[in-house]
Amino acid sequence: MKRNKQWNVSKALALASLYHFLHSAAAACVVPFLTIYFRQLGLTAQFVGIIMGAKCFIFMLCTPFWSYYAGRHNKRRILILGSLLLSVGAGLLFTLIPPIDKEIGYKFCNKSLYIKNSWKQNARPEDKHYIGDVKMNKFAHTILPTVVNAALTSHPRSTLQAEIKENLQVLTTVETAIANRISSLKQSQNTGLSNITHSYVSTPSEDIGSTQTTDDYLQSKWNQLLQIKDSGHVGTMGETANHFPVKEDNKKKNRTSDVYSSSVNSHIMKGDAVLKVGSEDRLEKQRISTKYDHSFKILDNQHQTLVLLLLAVSLWEILASALEWIADDGLYDYLDFVDSVDRYGKQWIWGYLGTAGAALSIGIVVDRLDCFINAYTSRIAVHFYGYAALITLTLLVGVFYPIHTARKNDMINHTVKGLHLLGGDGRAMLYVITVFIMGAIRSTINNFLFWQMQDNGSGEAFMGVALAIGFIAEVLLYLFKDRMLKIFSFSGSVTFGLICLAAQVLYYSFLWSSWAVLPIQILNAFSNGALWWAVWGQANDLATPGIERTLHKIYHILSFGLGASVGSFCSGFIVSSFGIERLYQACSATAMVWLVVFLIAQSKIPRQKRLNYSRLLAADTSDMSDSDDAQDWLVTALKGDFVQK
């Protein structure tokens, strides 16, 4: 006789928890830091919003499709393993996309190093012209290095350092003098040289010393000018110099970058020159390149990078979106098959712990590396390497993941019923709009909070700590979930969650240092955790048997798909036009306005509660009274009546 197969539910749940721990840890290595990666590639906030909005929109379309296809054709394990394997390659594709300008990576990388380390501490020897967020003109790095050396040897080092620290201004570039005077120098090599360079060159007795005459000194400078001109740099420098206006007022100094360069004279000269950053500078470089190279490009470097990232993100999201719902459906059907559904729903805790641990660890590791691992690889690539390693481990666990495919899969019918339930209940529609607004606001936090922290000198270690605090706070509050929902009720928990969310984003708009974000992250327990638990509770009360998880999925898609997509698109344009501070203040105002509307509308809508038949069937008969109302509950359930409260 064939022995019956034994089902080890505890082992299956342990494997499922390990799977969620590793998969969430892998996602935490990359997803929260994606916008930082896009920024270091040189994309503007508007383009970042477009990419993240497209990512969320693809998630909204692909996740239900993969879930339905896997259940319909009994391909859950194959899709999980295939998605994990292909996601490794798709994630590593990001490391092959070159930045628009390598200087941008140094700027944002060294900005945090300047805050936490001493001046010049982690600068590479071959890139000493990048110090903190101070950016040296690339032309000055290649032109007349001997002139800078002469200045450093002729002037006391302490005097130069004091002058740089005191003024910290944009210095005049050497190409200005060369471009404006090179033609005159050709015509008057012997007689006019000293007159032309008098305003740019200090007397040799002051800068070079008594051992060298004025004629010899000027002749050596002339030879250097000829060498530079022969090397082909003068045309570019001359054109570029015309785009550096001098002496901006103090109100515009906060938008300028510090430029250090050598000049024709033997000492370093000071001046205010605006170093254009962002799309204008790149468009200007493209115009100059087209003018001199006589080459035509359909897209400039920034738009080429945007297209490459859109393709990479789309491919990655199409592959990765198959994981979450398919694994969840397989585990639920498995537990339902062995009559242990009551043990379903706790695996998210391990996912949160994995997210917190991975975000903290990867942030600390990356923050301790140099800006570039080698000549071509930025340290941001470590995020994708960590993702690939953890996904590989997840793949090994996925081979043994507990999966069972039910014979009957009515996902489409359940979705139609769930939408009908939500559309036919006024209070449910309030929760639908709430999760949509919450998803839109959350997307702005996920996309640009790290930008705000980076602007205040924060490194990735602080970013990882901030993420870890938020997720751990939600796990700790979960221990008091039932008591909290009983005290505040569903509507009270939503109200308190919206208040905390509004306060949280308003606080983000006033960040003043790298650590200031850490205390407010505790509010994540209420602005995200408590709010979602109230939404799930309302969905469970509204649902008919077998529709609870369908309502959860609809809320999930509305928030993390549609809401996050709209929020990402809008936030990118708002940041480009008004700044991150105004974005978060607008989000705070939106949350408070919707809170007022939510309370007013809820008071006007009559409250209806449908009997939860699955709860009644699962209830212990010993807890039921012998009253007529308790004995007639099945009759009421069969009639499908509503209980007015």
Side-chain angles (χ1 to χ4, degrees), residues 422 425-435 494 555 594 597-603 605:
L422 294 177
D425 189 280
R427 289 177 176 267
M429 289 303 300
L430 293 179
Y431 284 85
V432 167
I433 301 175
T434 299
V435 297
V494 170
Y555 281 133
W594 173 245
V597 174
F598 177 85
L599 293 176
I600 294 175
Q602 187 176 233
S603 63
I605 299 175

Side-chain angles (χ1 to χ4, degrees), residues 263-515:
S263 60
V264 179
N265 59 344
S266 58
H267 69 275
I268 298 179
M269 298 180 62
K270 297 183 300 183
D272 291 337
V274 176
L275 178 61
K276 295 183 179 181
V277 296
S279 58
E280 295 182 359
D281 184 42
R282 283 182 285 275
L283 291 174
E284 188 62 29
K285 289 181 180 179
Q286 182 197 13
R287 187 189 69 79
I288 295 172
S289 176
T290 305
K291 179 178 179 181
Y292 287 95
D293 297 340
H294 303 285
S295 60
F296 177 76
K297 294 182 180 180
I298 298 177
L299 297 174
D300 62 3
N301 291 337
Q302 190 177 34
H303 287 84
Q304 288 177 358
T305 304
L306 172 64
V307 172
L308 289 175
L309 285 174
L310 275 175
L311 293 176
V313 168
S314 299
L315 176 63
W316 187 37
E317 189 62 32
I318 289 172
L319 296 173
S321 60
L323 292 171
E324 186 174 355
W325 281 19
I326 295 178
D328 186 73
D329 291 342
L331 178 62
Y332 180 84
D333 289 340
Y334 173 87
L335 294 176
D336 185 42
F337 180 74
V338 296
D339 296 328
S340 298
V341 179
D342 56 319
R343 304 180 67 175
Y344 167 81
K346 301 293 178 32
Q347 66 274 8
W348 70 267
I349 296 178
W350 291 100
Y352 272 32
L353 293 178
T355 300
L360 177 61
S361 302
I362 199 71
I364 294 175
V365 170
V366 173
D367 217 26
R368 298 180 68 86
L369 299 175
D370 290 333
C371 297
F372 279 77
I373 302 175
N374 54 48
Y376 304 100
T377 306
S378 170
R379 69 178 186 177
I380 202 72
V382 175
H383 289 283
F384 298 98
Y385 297 152
Y387 171 82
L390 289 173
I391 285 293
T392 303
L393 294 177
T394 309
L395 179 63
L396 298 177
V397 178
V399 175
F400 307 99
Y401 188 85
I403 289 178
H404 177 76
T405 301
R407 293 182 180 179
K408 185 178 180 181
N409 190 301
D410 294 331
M411 179 179 176
I412 295 180
N413 293 333
H414 288 178
T415 302
V416 173
K417 292 179 181 179
L419 292 174
H420 179 73
L421 283 175
L422 294 177
D425 189 280
R427 289 177 176 267
M429 289 303 300
L430 293 179
Y431 284 85
V432 167
I433 301 175
T434 299
V435 297
F436 173 83
I437 293 176
M438 184 174 63
I441 296 177
R442 277 288 162 192
S443 68
T444 65
I445 297 175
N446 297 335
N447 294 345
F448 296 108
L449 176 60
F450 286 175
W451 282 36
Q452 180 82 333
M453 296 176 64
Q454 197 174 57
D455 291 340
N456 286 278
S458 174
E460 295 191 28
F462 278 110
M463 300 175 188
V465 172
L467 282 174
I469 291 176
F471 283 102
I472 292 176
E474 290 187 45
V475 173
L476 293 178
L477 184 63
Y478 181 77
L479 302 176
F480 309 96
K481 167 192 168 184
D482 295 333
R483 183 181 302 178
M484 181 195 66
L485 293 178
K486 184 177 181 180
I487 294 175
F488 290 100
S489 74
F490 297 148
S491 60
S493 298
V494 170
T495 300
F496 188 64
L498 288 174
I499 293 175
C500 291
L501 181 61
Q504 198 171 6
V505 292
L506 182 63
Y507 181 92
Y508 290 152
S509 66
F510 296 104
L511 292 183
W512 63 92
S513 67
S514 57
W515 58 266

Side-chain angles (χ1 to χ4, degrees), residues 183-197 214-216 218-219 222-223 226:
S183 59
S184 299
L185 286 172
K186 285 183 178 180
Q187 299 174 359
S188 56
Q189 176 177 358
N190 296 325
T191 59
L193 181 60
S194 59
N195 295 330
I196 293 171
T197 58
T214 303
D215 293 338
D216 294 336
L218 295 178
Q219 183 62 39
W222 166 244
N223 294 332
L226 291 180

Side-chain angles (χ1 to χ4, degrees), residues 572-644:
F573 287 96
I574 294 175
V575 171
S576 297
S577 302
F578 305 102
I580 300 177
E581 294 83 0
R582 296 294 179 269
L583 170 67
Y584 286 146
Q585 291 168 6
C587 289
S588 178
T590 301
M592 292 305 299
V593 169
W594 173 245
L595 173 61
V596 174
V597 174
F598 177 85
L599 293 176
I600 294 175
Q602 187 176 233
S603 63
K604 301 296 183 181
I605 299 175
R607 184 175 183 181
Q608 296 178 339
K609 182 179 180 182
R610 187 183 295 271
L611 284 175
N612 193 313
Y613 310 128
S614 58
R615 285 187 179 182
L616 292 173
L617 290 171
D620 189 356
T621 56
S622 61
D623 296 333
M624 300 177 59
S625 64
D626 295 331
S627 62
D628 294 337
D629 293 337
Q631 294 175 355
D632 294 337
W633 69 265
L634 183 57
V635 177
T636 305
L638 292 175
K639 291 180 179 180
D641 294 336
F642 289 93
V643 178
Q644 301 288 340

